[in-house]
Amino acid sequence: MKRLLYAILSIFLICPAKAANDPLETCLNKISNNDTAWISGISSIFGNSDLDDTVVEQNKARIYNLISNRFQELCGSELVHIAKTNKVRGQIDFKHKDKDYAFDFDVDKIFDNLGIQMGILVINKHDLYPTKVLSLSDIPRKQKFFSSDCSDHFIFDNLDDDAAVNKAGQSVFSEYGGSQHEFFLDFAEGDNRRAFPGLVIQDKTGSTGEQIVSYTNIKTAVERTQQFAENLKNSQCSNQGLSVYLVALNVQQSPYKTSDNKDVAATTTTAVAGAGLTAGIIGSTVAAAAWIPVAGWIVAGVAGAAAGTIALLPQSIADIQQVMVLDGPYNL
């Protein structure tokens, strides 16, 4: 028999067969099937101790950090699909001291822990796809690719409250104050670009402050992207060839040799140093990991307890040279 370890209770059972085509189970199988970092992590946490719910509860934070790290390093191609399944619990099988165990864990907690910074992009391209890297140089300079009724062209004095992007943003982005603030799409290079053309930007009412609307919880990011796109349908943004995408923001050239569409472990501080993450968002003392979803590129984020704190911090305005598509297109 296999002992199932819960955060709240435990039972003895024989685990049922897992669906091979389920994205969560695909990820969990990658972790549990002889992943050396997972095995060494379990040994590091528990040593020679026998496992029971008390021991697990005492080490819960370390266990979640280990699971989050393995999700980020091994399961990049499954993350958005897992978020869309709305599964709330996962189970990882493992051996310890020649006994069979399984962790039953909260999937949303893992999404909180990953710390991959994501933004919402509206662009006049229908043909982008997940893992596609869109560079600043791919977008014509000084191009107005959305109408002023869709998103304001001039924001120096005051945003147009009736622009479709502002109304949709106020309806959807509760984490950014909703109707207390205003929202617009970033402009092209040479046309007052803030960060990256088409990214949704928050304009703080009563100040000159602006920030990228960004999320680090993938499930929340997918939901907000879908809600935002739905609000823009049949609006002033329709019939302009526009599509909405969820994109990763911390995308840099990879220092690793990889092949297309391979999830390759790129661990801790070396990956972070190569990723050039925004100062102040990820501190030097935070353990981090990176996902390499496509040859030549790296998406970096924070894996572990600090990610929950970072999820509450908005991404400040920054010079972003490229983004990577994670979900979409949601055509308008």
Side-chain angles (χ1 to χ4, degrees):
M1 284 193 177
K2 182 175 299 178
R3 181 154 191 184
L4 185 63
L5 298 166
Y6 284 85
I8 300 174
L9 56 93
S10 67
I11 56 175
F12 291 89
L13 53 79
I14 297 175
C15 296
K18 298 179 179 180
N21 60 348
D22 183 291
L24 177 58
E25 300 305 338
T26 297
C27 174
L28 297 180
N29 287 335
K30 288 182 183 180
I31 297 171
S32 62
N33 290 341
N34 299 315
D35 175 35
T36 55
W38 168 253
I39 295 169
S40 63
I42 292 294
S43 297
S44 176
I45 293 172
F46 297 112
N48 201 40
S49 300
D50 290 322
L51 300 191
D52 57 30
D53 287 324
T54 299
V55 172
V56 170
E57 184 65 24
Q58 290 171 346
N59 291 279
K60 185 164 64 174
R62 296 179 67 188
I63 296 167
Y64 270 111
N65 287 350
L66 175 61
I67 297 173
S68 301
N69 179 277
R70 305 322 300 148
F71 260 69
Q72 185 156 305
E73 291 191 9
L74 297 177
C75 304
S77 59
E78 285 85 41
L79 291 177
V80 169
H81 299 295
I82 293 170
K84 288 183 175 181
T85 65
N86 292 317
K87 287 196 171 183
V88 296
R89 307 296 299 184
Q91 180 182 310
I92 299 181
D93 303 336
F94 67 100
K95 280 184 177 289
H96 180 68
K97 295 179 62 177
D98 294 323
K99 294 180 182 178
D100 291 324
Y101 294 94
F103 287 133
D104 179 276
F105 64 93
D106 183 347
V107 175
D108 281 350
K109 175 70 173 176
I110 304 303
F111 286 139
D112 284 336
N113 275 5
L114 292 179
I116 299 171
Q117 288 187 323
M118 295 159 285
I120 298 175
L121 180 77
V122 181
I123 198 76
N124 58 339
K125 296 177 182 290
H126 287 335
D127 59 348
L128 305 183
Y129 51 87
T131 72
K132 171 66 177 178
V133 175
L134 180 67
S135 298
L136 181 62
S137 58
D138 295 331
I139 303 171
R141 291 172 54 87
K142 299 183 179 180
Q143 180 193 58
K144 287 284 197 292
F145 55 86
F146 49 84
S147 70
S148 59
D149 289 334
C150 174
S151 181
D152 213 332
H153 286 179
F154 302 99
I155 61 172
F156 302 107
D157 296 323
N158 188 33
L159 281 170
D160 180 2
D161 291 338
D162 293 326
V165 165
N166 181 56
K167 292 170 68 175
Q170 289 181 333
S171 174
V172 172
F173 302 134
S174 57
E175 298 88 350
Y176 286 84
S179 59
Q180 297 178 24
H181 301 291
E182 297 172 307
F183 301 88
F184 65 96
L185 301 182
D186 201 359
F187 307 108
E189 179 72 355
D191 188 26
N192 296 310
R193 174 176 70 94
R194 268 66 172 167
F196 191 88
L199 279 180
V200 180
I201 306 290
Q202 178 207 50
D203 181 63
K204 293 184 179 179
T205 301
S207 77
T208 59
E210 298 172 349
Q211 59 196 29
I212 300 169
V213 172
S214 66
Y215 296 91
T216 57
N217 182 301
I218 294 179
K219 184 175 181 179
T220 301
V222 168
E223 290 174 350
R224 295 296 178 271
T225 302
Q226 293 173 333
Q227 292 164 354
F228 184 66
E230 190 63 29
N231 271 264
L232 288 182
K233 288 183 178 179
N234 301 315
S235 73
Q236 298 97 319
C237 294
S238 301
N239 302 316
Q240 297 182 41
L242 300 174
S243 296
V244 180
Y245 297 88
L246 175 65
V247 296
L249 301 178
N250 285 329
V251 179
Q252 300 292 332
Q253 291 283 346
S254 170
Y256 303 91
K257 292 182 179 179
T258 64
S259 52
D260 286 350
N261 299 319
K262 298 291 185 182
D263 293 321
V264 180
T267 55
T268 61
T269 54
T270 301
V272 175
L277 298 181
T278 305
I281 298 298
I282 297 179
S284 59
T285 60
V286 176
W291 164 41
I292 305 179
V294 65
W297 296 99
I298 186 173
V299 177
V302 177
T309 302
I310 291 171
L312 302 177
L313 299 177
Q315 168 71 60
S316 58
I317 297 297
D319 178 16
I320 298 176
Q321 292 295 307
Q322 60 273 320
V323 297
M324 181 178 288
V325 174
L326 299 179
D327 189 33
Y330 295 96
N331 297 331
L332 303 181

